[in-house]
Amino acid sequence: MINLITNKKKFLVELLKAILKLVIAGVFIGYLKEYDLLVAGILLLKIIHNVYKDIYKPKNKNWLLLVGMLLTCFGGIVGETWGGYKRLLGIP
């Protein structure tokens, strides 16, 4: 079996950082759930910052990141719309 992780300590640190970021974001969004517009604005600013930092500014453009972000956005919108229609129609 091929071992793709060459530096296990660095991998573990990056994994824990990513999990911590998700937990902080979840708490932040849950705490501000009544301020949907504020949370949406902050998330939009974060997306714009990431696109500028990782795609626009570098010489080697990371188009895969942009495509992934757009596909995730589209999937989220479809999922939320589908769930809303199911709730509206009373479908479990």
Side-chain angles (χ1 to χ4, degrees), residues 8-61:
K8 292 186 184 212
K9 184 176 179 180
K10 184 176 180 181
F11 174 76
L12 184 61
V13 167
E14 291 298 321
L15 182 64
L16 290 175
K17 281 178 19 183
I19 291 171
L20 182 64
K21 287 178 186 179
L22 284 174
V23 168
I24 290 171
V27 169
F28 175 74
I29 290 171
Y31 182 70
L32 295 174
K33 63 184 171 191
E34 58 246 1
Y35 303 107
D36 289 338
L37 191 57
L38 176 65
V39 173
I42 292 171
L43 290 175
L44 180 64
L45 288 174
K46 178 64 177 160
I47 290 170
I48 291 170
H49 173 261
N50 282 356
V51 168
Y52 177 75
K53 182 182 71 152
D54 296 333
I55 298 169
Y56 182 73
K57 191 175 178 185
K59 293 195 189 293
N60 294 331
K61 308 294 185 203

Side-chain angles (χ1 to χ4, degrees), residues 54-70:
D54 296 333
I55 298 169
Y56 182 73
K57 191 175 178 185
K59 293 195 189 293
N60 294 331
K61 308 294 185 203
N62 190 354
W63 294 109
L64 185 60
L65 175 66
L66 181 63
V67 170
M69 287 171 68
L70 292 174

